[in-house]
Amino acid sequence: MKAICFNFEIHQPFRLKRYRFFDIGKDHWYFDDFLNDDIVTRVAHNSYIPACETLLRMIEAGKGRFKCSIAVSGCAFEQFEHYVPELLDLFKKLVDTGCVEFVAQPFSYGLASLRDPEVFAHQVAETSAILQTRFGVKPKVIRNTELIYFDDLAPQLVEMGFKAAITEGAKHILGWKSPNYVYSAASAPKLKLLLRNVKLSDDIALRFSDTSWPEFPLTADKYVDWIASTPAEEQIVNIFLNMETFGEQNPATTGIFQFLEAIPRFAEERGLEFITPSEAAAKIKAVDELSVLHPISSAGEERDTSVWLGNRMQNEAFDKLFSQAERILKCDNRALKRDWQYLQSSDHFYYMNTKNPVGFSPYETPFQAFTNYMNVLADFLMRVEEQFPSQVDNEELNSLLTTIRNQGDEIEKLNKELASMRKNVEQYNIEHKKREAAPAEEKTAPAKKAAAKKEPAEKKAKAPKKAAKKSKTE
């Protein structure tokens, strides 16, 4: 039976405020709280909340037959906690149905996988920890930022414990092959690869509201017919979408939510089932290995990483940000680590893009985006410099940090010994006070007992003397 695998991606960056050159060294808060609140609240009420409510109705109506997966960035989670906590309650309800799988995603929705494996691992671990703490979920599948994937990444994903990765069904990688199969990674065969069906995904994401599209209007029965008409031997159709597709990019007035809600009914009529990514990885055998020598993504016509790192401005900003990665990972300054995460979001580099038209951007030009980001980065690097002076090389820094950690362990050990000694002193004082407070009779009792023991001994000592005197008189 052919399966449909839905994945909905959710991300919101911490957008930067207008940060001038003269703010460097004076203002260490870089983010536009009012803009973030406005956008996150609006998108949540237009898109995320009604979409999640629609998914809940679909699961209930299908008695658990409808299944899907969701990927949420850590930055989005943090903003939902501040601005729309009711959305997190909906996520919990979806998890509790047993029909929705939450997959892992980098915390910042950043590009660390292209530069620093250790930073990437930290980013994914942060989001996985949120899923574990909030929902009791340990993700088995990962969706990297914008579906970025390449061969060198696969062994690390296996080492991190993932069974499958969601990525793009890029034509220049697949060639004559179809995305409607499960593949295994050429560099790590234990890792399964689920590839996005680009056409069927973009039919919803890009063309649903396009009145000039020959297939307009797109209805649920027509869409399911397209899926059912794919070759019978093809195992799975992966529909990976940004959740903003529903209600934000395609407003509710277009009928997008009714379209989504009707899909399970027509799928059941045509003998199609729904499956989560981890179920697909466990149940469906890989038909072949897939090699991806250079990074692919779902962005741009080239399906590469050029929309983030395609010009000198983007690369200069990216290189400067990651030049301090080793020091940031070793520091214990929570504010630095927080800003480091937020500044990694791929959105900041996307706004500097001069290659493809940018959808939403808080900046008038890519150069303005670059200037604003570099001003922020200059202040951030000054703070890093204060924490770890650049005159100290990495080897010396490691030695200093080791000494500091050892001193911390020694202090902790001494504190434990001191606490034990204090406890002994307190116990001694308690016992001493008890003795002082005891009645006088109790105090003299030991003396009386000693005297009682002494008296028989004296009698025994006197007895032989009397006997001796008697013998003399005789």
Side-chain angles (χ1 to χ4, degrees):
M1 182 182 288
K2 194 184 300 294
I4 302 174
C5 182
F6 270 110
N7 178 264
F8 304 101
E9 184 269 327
I10 297 175
H11 166 62
Q12 288 293 333
F14 281 87
R15 295 166 183 85
L16 301 174
K17 67 184 180 183
R18 295 304 170 97
Y19 195 89
R20 302 171 303 164
F21 174 80
F22 299 103
D23 293 326
I24 299 172
K26 299 176 183 177
D27 183 2
H28 301 321
W29 184 252
Y30 312 132
F31 309 102
D32 193 330
D33 295 331
F34 294 104
L35 182 62
N36 289 326
D37 185 356
D38 179 64
I39 292 175
V40 170
T41 303
R42 187 198 74 230
V43 174
H45 285 95
N46 287 346
S47 174
Y48 302 151
I49 291 175
C52 288
E53 291 172 342
T54 301
L55 294 177
L56 283 169
R57 289 195 300 272
M58 293 162 69
I59 293 167
E60 184 179 352
K63 294 181 172 56
R65 288 189 295 273
F66 174 76
K67 298 178 180 180
C68 66
S69 62
I70 297 175
V72 186
S73 71
C75 284
F77 265 120
E78 287 199 357
Q79 293 186 79
F80 296 154
E81 287 180 346
H82 288 296
Y83 308 130
V84 279
E86 61 270 31
L87 178 57
L88 299 179
D89 295 334
L90 280 173
F91 288 162
K92 183 66 168 66
K93 289 180 180 179
L94 288 169
V95 171
D96 291 343
T97 65
C99 298
V100 178
E101 176 183 10
F102 274 76
V103 304
Q105 197 163 240
F107 181 94
S108 66
Y109 204 70
L111 307 171
S113 61
L114 301 174
R115 172 60 63 88
D116 193 313
E118 188 177 0
V119 174
F120 174 70
H122 276 275
Q123 289 274 331
V124 175
E126 286 278 347
T127 311
S128 298
I130 293 173
L131 295 175
Q132 181 73 51
T133 303
R134 278 201 160 273
F135 311 127
V137 171
K138 185 178 181 181
K140 301 175 184 176
V141 177
I142 184 168
R143 172 176 176 150
N144 196 10
T145 303
E146 293 292 338
L147 303 178
I148 291 174
Y149 174 79
F150 50 101
D151 282 347
D152 290 347
L153 186 61
Q156 183 182 5
L157 297 180
V158 172
E159 187 178 344
M160 291 165 68
F162 292 108
K163 305 297 182 185
I166 291 173
T167 187
E168 179 75 349
K171 287 184 179 179
H172 68 280
I173 296 298
L174 286 170
W176 56 269
K177 296 176 182 178
S178 169
N180 301 333
Y181 292 98
V182 173
Y183 293 88
S184 62
S187 55
K190 289 184 179 180
L191 185 74
K192 299 284 186 68
L193 299 178
L194 304 179
L195 310 181
R196 184 174 85 109
N197 187 304
V198 177
K199 180 192 177 300
L200 289 170
S201 296
D202 287 350
D203 283 342
I204 300 176
L206 303 181
R207 294 182 277 274
F208 184 84
S209 300
D210 184 1
T211 56
S212 65
W213 184 34
E215 298 294 343
F216 182 86
L218 181 61
T219 59
D221 57 338
K222 183 196 294 187
Y223 188 74
V224 172
D225 276 342
W226 291 347
I227 296 175
S229 65
T230 56
E233 65 274 13
E234 293 186 349
Q235 308 158 304
I236 184 171
V237 176
N238 298 306
I239 311 298
F240 302 157
L241 301 164
N242 188 318
M243 193 172 272
E244 291 179 32
T245 299
F246 303 92
E248 185 68 15
Q249 296 168 358
N250 298 285
T253 53
T254 63
I256 188 73
F257 291 111
Q258 290 82 356
F259 165 81
L260 177 63
E261 195 166 351
I263 287 177
R265 177 164 60 88
F266 292 106
E268 186 177 3
E269 290 177 3
R270 288 157 180 76
L272 303 175
E273 67 173 339
F274 294 91
I275 195 170
T276 63
S278 61
E279 288 177 341
K283 294 179 180 179
I284 303 177
K285 187 177 180 181
V287 296
D288 196 5
E289 290 185 355
L290 193 67
S291 179
V292 182
L293 298 178
H294 305 287
I296 59 172
S297 77
S298 61
E301 294 180 3
E302 296 85 355
R303 301 293 192 245
D304 57 13
T305 60
S306 59
V307 296
W308 305 288
L309 300 173
N311 63 43
R312 290 179 63 185
M313 293 187 298
Q314 292 168 315
N315 279 285
E316 182 178 349
F318 188 70
D319 291 344
K320 240 185 184 104
L321 177 67
F322 274 85
S323 67
Q324 302 297 318
E326 187 173 357
R327 292 168 183 257
I328 296 295
L329 287 174
K330 287 180 168 63
C331 85
D332 295 322
N333 188 311
R334 293 180 63 184
L336 275 179
K337 283 182 173 291
R338 175 202 63 206
D339 294 345
W340 162 253
Q341 288 178 323
Y342 297 169
L343 289 173
Q344 286 184 59
S345 293
S346 59
D347 309 70
H348 304 309
F349 303 97
Y350 184 67
Y351 300 146
M352 304 174 201
N353 169 37
T354 55
K355 190 173 184 180
N356 294 349
V358 175
F360 167 80
S361 173
Y363 305 99
E364 294 176 5
T365 66
F367 181 72
Q368 189 184 84
F370 170 72
T371 303
N372 199 68
Y373 186 85
M374 294 305 285
N375 286 341
V376 168
L377 196 56
D379 185 82
F380 176 76
L381 294 178
M382 283 175 60
R383 291 163 59 202
V384 176
E385 175 75 12
E386 290 174 2
Q387 188 86 7
F388 300 120
S390 57
Q391 289 84 357
V392 181
D393 61 26
N394 287 333
E395 186 175 344
E396 188 178 352
L397 175 63
N398 289 334
S399 176
L400 287 171
L401 290 170
T402 301
T403 302
I404 292 169
R405 280 193 291 271
N406 291 340
Q407 287 176 345
D409 293 340
E410 186 66 25
I411 291 170
E412 185 179 357
K413 182 181 177 182
L414 291 172
N415 282 335
K416 287 181 179 179
E417 291 178 2
L418 181 60
S420 178
M421 291 172 66
R422 282 177 177 168
K423 190 174 179 181
N424 291 337
V425 171
E426 288 173 2
Q427 186 65 33
Y428 171 80
N429 289 336
I430 290 170
E431 292 177 358
H432 181 69
K433 286 179 182 178
K434 283 182 179 179
R435 286 196 299 271
E436 289 293 324
E441 292 182 1
E442 291 183 10
K443 290 181 180 179
T444 56
K448 289 181 179 179
K449 287 182 181 178
K453 289 181 181 178
K454 186 178 180 182
E455 188 176 349
E458 289 177 351
K459 286 182 180 179
K460 288 179 182 178
K462 290 176 180 179
K465 290 180 180 178
K466 288 181 180 179
K469 286 180 182 180
K470 188 176 180 183
S471 60
K472 275 184 180 182
T473 53
E474 288 179 353

